[in-house]
């Protein structure tokens, strides 16, 4: 009887989840974007990698806006100039292209983006990673941005930069910047590779030397210093594509994971003195179970099993499956993917963007993976591997189990794509998370979540002693027997960033019994009896300073 009840309960939960649909609203939302990777037949390595995307509430109106990263034409090859695109959220399901007005119409071979208020003026700034010169754009607070790359001390550091994240690694209240770098590649030094012996193909990263990620320390006067060597963060063997900042051991100090492609993943443990120690091998995340360095792409961290400890996902190449590293609580991670549906379902696909998010607001963190191969001719040599691939959506059933529900949440959502970047945000203030997806040399996709019935509570943080965005803060929400932990972190996924506001799925609960916020400064704020169905803004040391009931203004 107990077995029957368990099966019945899980079945009921699964049926309830089927009601949610992700509808493609890109065109009706006014988002008309095509990624330019510059490809003209030479098969240069960077053409396979981008682009990323990000959500940013750049004008502080409480509605997330959209940033899409773009490449450009190679030197000597004519074509229309392409730039990043910034779309303003009009609060009615539509977006307006404000790129030129905002001062972001700058042509570059962009890769990814990360969002954070590095000068604590109350307006989020933009860092765009690129092939060549990456750029930092300061938010002027009036709807415009200024390129401050040179004045910030970031100019002249050239590379093949990929994912990036803001992190206050020394907890001085100012956001520092970690930038992943891929390989030492140049147009002049491009190599010839082939997969069928007759045609040039895109080379794998083994063909090129690695390149160290960089750590930029915020000096507090609008300038940054390169602290890579001083922080013991330098490693020229790395070939990094993904980066996530998380507190591995709950000591209140941010640690950094770099997902490497054909090199061991790196885990940098914060030593509380401005330096890090690399522990990837001893933590169990450097290699696969059989001791092989995989092709790590995207990465995210979250407490998916309510253990109070953040676990990890890392997307890998085709025939390598997703890594689902469970935090054992003793500095060690164990990959649960091989014995789970998550591993079986992702074995053949090639994952890029990925994240934990509670898509159905049942209080359990689900998993999304964006898929797409790098070689358009791959089917000629591997029949069961495809260039365009459907994404994966895994519903968290509790007890460490996941079930793929991709095909049940919408035909458009489940259609094959050559996907790369991925991010989430509640674009319409209804309490459910929507999904933004980019494709290589293709269009962007904006998926609106519909038909959800569970409740949620959204928490936006405003730091005072801590950085203004509250990046690095941990929020614990308790409702009855449900106990959830989430941390505010920038970056993650692949070349992308989701919104900084935290969404807690509440299921049928009407309120949170208690909320505890541990700020990077050490400040602890406690709240009680907070109603679901709203977004609360919590200021460090002051508590709730604003609350807004979900509007649900459009469907």
């Amino acid at each position: 009887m107990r077995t029957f009840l368990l099966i019945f309960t899980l079945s009921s939960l699964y049926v309830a989840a089927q009601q949610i649909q992700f509808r493609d609203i890109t065109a009706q939302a006014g988002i008309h974007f095509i990624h330019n990777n510059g490809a003209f037949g030479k098969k240069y390595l960077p053409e396979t990698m981008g682009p990323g995307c990000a959500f940013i509430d750049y004008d502080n109106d409480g509605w997330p806006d959209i940033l899409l990263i773009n490449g450009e034409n190679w030197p000597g090859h004519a074509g229309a100039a392409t730039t990043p695109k910034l779309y303003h959220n009009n609060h009615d399901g539509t977006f307006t292209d404000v790129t030129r007005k905002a001062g972001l119409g700058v042509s570059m071979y962009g890769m990814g983006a990360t969002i954070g208020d590095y000068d604590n003026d109350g307006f989020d700034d933009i860092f765009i990673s690129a092939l060549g010169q990456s750029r930092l754009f300061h938010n002027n607070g009036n709807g415009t941005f200024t390129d401050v790359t040179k004045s910030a001390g970031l100019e002249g550091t050239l590379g093949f930069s990929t994912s990036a994240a803001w992190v206050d690694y020394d907890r001085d209240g100012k956001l520092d910047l970690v930038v992943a770098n891929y390989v030492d590649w140049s147009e002049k030094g491009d190599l010839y590779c082939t997969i069928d012996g007759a045609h040039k193909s895109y080379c794998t990263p083994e063909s090129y030397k690695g390149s160290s990620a960089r750590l930029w320390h915020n000096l507090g006067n609008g300038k940054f210093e390169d602290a890579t060597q001083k922080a013991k963060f330098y490693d020229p063997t790395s070939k990094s594509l993904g980066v996530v900042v998380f507190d591995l051991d709950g000591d209140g100090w941010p640690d950094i994971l770099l997902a490497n492609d054909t090199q061991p993943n790196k885990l940098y443990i914060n030593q509380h003195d401005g330096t890090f120690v690399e522990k990837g091998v001893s933590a169990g995340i450097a290699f696969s179970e059989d001791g092989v360095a995989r092709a790590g792409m995207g990465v995210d961290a979250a407490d998916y099993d309510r253990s109070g400890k953040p676990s990890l996902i890392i997307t890998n190449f085709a025939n390598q499956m997703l890594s689902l590293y469970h935090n054992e609580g003793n500095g060690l991670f164990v990959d649960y993917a091989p014995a789970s549906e998550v591993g079986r379902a992702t074995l053949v696909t090639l994952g890029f963007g990925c994240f934990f998010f509670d898509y159905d607001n049942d209080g359990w963190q689900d998993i999304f993976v964006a898929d797409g191969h790098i070689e358009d001719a791959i089917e000629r040599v591997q029949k069961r591997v495809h260039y365009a691939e459907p994404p994966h959506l895994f519903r968290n059933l509790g007890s460490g189990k996941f079930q793929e529900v991709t095909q049940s949440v919408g035909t458009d959502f489940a259609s094959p794509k050559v996907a790369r970047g991925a991010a989430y945000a509640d674009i319409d203030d209804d309490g459910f998370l929507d999904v933004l997806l980019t494709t290589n040399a293709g269009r962007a996709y904006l998926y609106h979540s519909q038909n959800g019935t569970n409740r949620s509570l959204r928490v936006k943080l405003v730091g005072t002693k801590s950085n203004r965005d509250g990046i690095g803060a941990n929020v614990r929400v308790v409702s009855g027997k449900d106990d959830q932990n989430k941390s505010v972190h920038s970056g993650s996924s692949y070349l992308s960033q989701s919104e900084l506001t935290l969404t807690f799925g509440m299921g049928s609960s009407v309120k949170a019994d208690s909320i505890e916020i541990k700020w990077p400064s050490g400040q602890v704020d406690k709240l009680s009896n907070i109603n679901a169905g709203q977004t609360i803004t919590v200021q460090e040391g002051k508590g709730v300073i604003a609350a807004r009931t979900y509007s649900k203004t459009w469907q």
Side-chain angles (χ1 to χ4, degrees):
M1 177 63 72
R2 292 178 63 185
T3 302
F4 172 80
L5 288 175
L6 176 61
I7 294 173
F8 177 80
T9 301
L10 292 178
S11 176
S12 299
L13 289 172
Y14 181 69
V15 169
Q18 303 312 293
Q19 299 171 0
I20 289 183
Q21 296 286 293
F22 283 101
R23 186 166 68 89
D24 183 357
I25 63 166
T26 317
Q28 74 181 62
I31 297 173
H32 306 289
F33 173 86
I34 300 294
H35 173 240
N36 174 25
N37 66 1
F40 64 100
K42 290 288 187 177
K43 296 227 169 186
Y44 290 154
L45 179 62
E47 297 168 0
T48 69
M49 307 309 298
C53 57
F55 284 103
I56 172 176
D57 182 8
Y58 76 94
D59 56 355
N60 284 347
D61 65 355
W63 296 74
D65 311 298
I66 289 174
L67 177 67
L68 298 170
I69 305 304
N70 214 342
E72 64 178 346
N73 299 311
W74 294 108
H77 292 270
T82 50
T83 73
K85 291 291 184 181
L86 179 65
Y87 289 92
H88 178 259
N89 191 327
N90 298 325
H91 312 180
D92 61 359
T94 67
F95 291 76
T96 299
D97 184 347
V98 295
T99 309
R100 190 171 298 278
K101 177 182 176 182
L104 293 175
V106 180
S107 186
M108 69 186 94
Y109 204 104
M111 297 296 297
T114 187
I115 309 300
D117 183 2
Y118 75 86
D119 59 349
N120 291 327
D121 66 353
F123 291 90
D124 280 335
D125 310 297
I126 298 171
F127 177 81
I128 297 180
S129 62
L131 177 67
Q133 180 65 64
S134 299
R135 296 178 183 270
L136 177 62
F137 293 92
H138 177 258
N139 190 331
N140 300 319
N142 60 1
T144 68
F145 291 82
T146 298
D147 186 343
V148 295
T149 309
K150 183 176 182 179
S151 62
L154 302 177
E155 189 173 82
T157 303
L158 309 180
F160 191 165
S161 296
T162 53
S163 295
W166 295 101
V167 50
D168 183 6
Y169 73 89
D170 57 354
R171 290 174 53 178
D172 64 354
K174 301 182 293 292
L175 288 177
D176 313 299
L177 180 66
V178 56
V179 182
N181 287 297
Y182 193 32
V183 295
D184 183 8
W185 181 91
S186 68
E187 186 178 1
K188 183 178 180 180
D190 184 70
L191 301 175
Y192 180 88
C193 298
T194 179
I195 61 173
D196 62 5
H199 307 86
K200 183 182 181 185
S201 64
Y202 291 108
C203 292
T204 64
E206 287 114 326
S207 304
Y208 300 97
K209 294 180 180 179
S211 181
S212 178
R214 288 186 180 271
L215 186 62
W216 295 94
H217 180 243
N218 190 335
L219 298 175
N221 56 0
K223 294 185 180 297
F224 293 79
E225 65 173 349
D226 187 346
T228 310
Q229 296 274 7
K230 182 168 62 176
K232 300 181 180 180
F233 203 73
Y234 182 74
D235 183 352
T237 68
S238 285
K239 300 177 180 181
S240 304
L241 290 175
V243 59
V244 67
V245 179
F246 70 117
D247 185 359
L248 161 68
D249 49 10
D251 63 359
W253 293 82
D255 310 300
I256 300 172
L257 171 68
L258 295 173
N260 282 331
D261 189 357
T262 70
Q263 288 291 310
N265 298 318
K266 304 293 182 180
L267 178 59
Y268 292 92
I269 306 299
N270 198 317
Q271 299 301 291
H272 311 178
D273 60 0
T275 68
F276 292 83
V277 172
E278 202 284 306
K279 294 285 188 180
V281 173
S282 61
I285 60 92
F287 303 99
S288 65
E289 281 189 325
D290 51 1
V292 176
R294 290 185 276 194
M297 309 290 185
V299 62
D300 197 15
D303 177 14
Y304 75 85
D305 62 345
R306 296 186 183 173
S307 65
K309 300 177 290 291
S311 295
L312 302 164
I313 50 173
I314 303 176
T315 53
N316 297 302
F317 208 77
N319 302 312
Q320 292 183 341
M321 78 173 56
L322 179 81
S323 303
L324 175 59
Y325 286 113
H326 180 260
N327 189 334
E328 299 293 297
N330 54 3
L332 181 67
F333 291 82
V334 174
D335 190 357
Y336 281 19
S340 74
E341 182 164 339
V342 168
R344 292 189 294 271
T346 59
L347 178 59
V348 177
T349 52
L350 199 168
F352 278 92
C354 63
F355 47 73
F356 289 102
F357 78 139
D358 185 0
Y359 84 96
D360 55 358
N361 284 341
D362 67 353
W364 294 90
Q365 296 272 66
D366 310 301
I367 296 174
F368 174 81
V369 180
D371 296 312
H373 211 276
I374 62 169
E375 178 56 63
D376 56 7
I378 189 62
E379 293 173 40
R380 290 208 301 257
V381 293
Q382 296 187 46
K383 298 301 182 183
R384 66 175 188 159
V385 179
H386 305 284
Y387 183 50
E389 301 170 331
H392 294 290
L393 178 61
F394 297 101
R395 184 165 188 256
N396 190 335
L397 301 178
S399 301
K401 297 186 181 299
F402 290 87
Q403 185 168 29
E404 182 160 20
V405 295
T406 311
Q407 297 298 325
S408 69
V409 295
T411 303
D412 290 336
F413 185 81
S415 64
K417 306 170 185 67
V418 186
R420 294 294 184 262
Y424 63 81
D426 180 6
I427 63 169
D428 59 333
D429 195 34
D430 68 351
F432 282 85
L433 294 172
D434 311 293
V435 175
L436 179 65
L437 194 63
T438 62
T439 63
N440 191 43
R443 72 179 184 92
Y445 292 82
L446 180 61
Y447 290 103
H448 178 232
S449 176
Q450 296 182 329
N451 303 333
T453 57
N454 285 334
R455 296 183 175 93
S456 67
L457 174 64
R458 288 165 51 78
V459 181
K460 175 181 171 59
L461 300 185
V462 177
T464 51
K465 292 181 181 179
S466 304
N467 67 86
R468 181 70 178 240
D469 284 322
I471 290 173
N474 179 264
V475 181
R476 179 185 180 191
V477 173
V478 177
S479 179
K481 295 181 180 180
D482 291 336
D483 189 343
Q484 303 179 56
N485 279 279
K486 295 181 191 290
S487 294
V488 181
H489 61 278
S490 80
S492 73
S493 187
Y494 173 79
L495 307 178
S496 301
Q497 179 167 326
S498 298
E499 65 176 347
L500 293 173
T501 299
L502 301 177
T503 300
F504 291 86
M506 303 289 287
S508 59
S509 298
V510 297
K511 69 176 182 178
D513 298 324
S514 66
I515 299 177
E516 181 181 79
I517 303 167
K518 294 182 179 179
W519 298 84
S521 67
Q523 168 78 25
V524 177
D525 289 333
K526 296 183 178 181
L527 311 171
S528 60
N529 295 321
I530 303 296
N531 290 333
Q534 62 175 337
T535 300
I536 61 171
T537 301
V538 182
Q539 187 171 0
E540 184 178 9
K542 290 188 176 181
V544 178
I545 60 172
R548 185 174 73 182
T549 303
Y550 298 154
S551 60
K552 298 185 179 180
T553 54
W554 63 278
Q555 292 295 329

